[in-house]
Amino acid sequence: MRFIAVFICAFISMQSVLAQTLETIVKPEEFRAISEGKTLYFYQFGEFYGVEQYFQDGKSIWKPAGGTCESGRWHSEGNQICFEYEDNPIKSCWNILHSDRGYSARIDGNPAIYDLQLGKITNDDIECPAPELTS
């Protein structure tokens, strides 16, 4: 009887592992191919989180939901994609992941629940108002 209970527990555990989505880390070269010359829209918890437009040579413009545009750059550190913005001295590094659900971004060490989901990729420019002129 004990053998059957152990077998059932092992079977249920194996089914749980198989039911999980397999994620692979996107290499920097693949991220560049996906993003360069494109605009990526990100969502978290089903809500719009922000949009980033990627240019040649790692340049980008980030616009968070309800926020203002920030010029920045990205580079790779190992397989992580790291971002630095002009008005924010803190570098943030992400693992870009691919699964059967699409692409997502996760800060190293964060639980998957906080992932940013890539919602769409377009060729559109981000609308960024010009800075106000002062006299």
Side-chain angles (χ1 to χ4, degrees), residues 3 10 14 28 32-33 38 46 49-50 70 85 97-98 112 115 122 125 132:
F3 173 77
M14 194 174 354
R32 182 178 302 281
K38 305 289 184 189
Y49 185 84
E70 302 174 47
Y85 298 97
L97 306 166
H98 186 256
D115 286 2
T122 70
D125 290 336
E132 293 182 10

Side-chain angles (χ1 to χ4, degrees), residues 25-26 79-81 93-97 104-109:
I25 294 178
V26 172
N79 282 329
Q80 291 190 323
I81 306 301
C93 294
W94 300 75
N95 289 311
I96 308 301
L97 306 166
S104 60
R106 180 181 306 151
I107 290 182
D108 197 32

Side-chain angles (χ1 to χ4, degrees), residues 18-91:
L18 292 174
Q20 292 176 356
T21 302
L22 178 65
E23 297 175 327
T24 57
I25 294 178
V26 172
K27 304 264 189 247
E29 305 80 39
E30 184 181 352
F31 178 74
R32 182 178 302 281
I34 294 165
S35 63
E36 196 168 75
K38 305 289 184 189
T39 300
L40 282 58
Y41 292 76
F42 295 95
Y43 296 80
Q44 187 179 51
F45 308 119
E47 300 289 323
F48 177 67
Y49 185 84
V51 58
E52 191 147 20
Q53 185 173 356
Y54 297 89
F55 303 96
Q56 300 284 329
D57 302 325
K59 294 179 183 176
S60 69
I61 297 174
W62 167 250
K63 185 176 183 184
T68 58
C69 294
E70 302 174 47
S71 294
R73 297 188 66 80
W74 73 268
H75 66 276
S76 63
E77 291 185 11
N79 282 329
Q80 291 190 323
I81 306 301
C82 299
F83 295 88
E84 296 179 79
Y85 298 97
E86 289 178 359
D87 296 332
N88 185 351
I90 300 172
K91 172 177 63 174

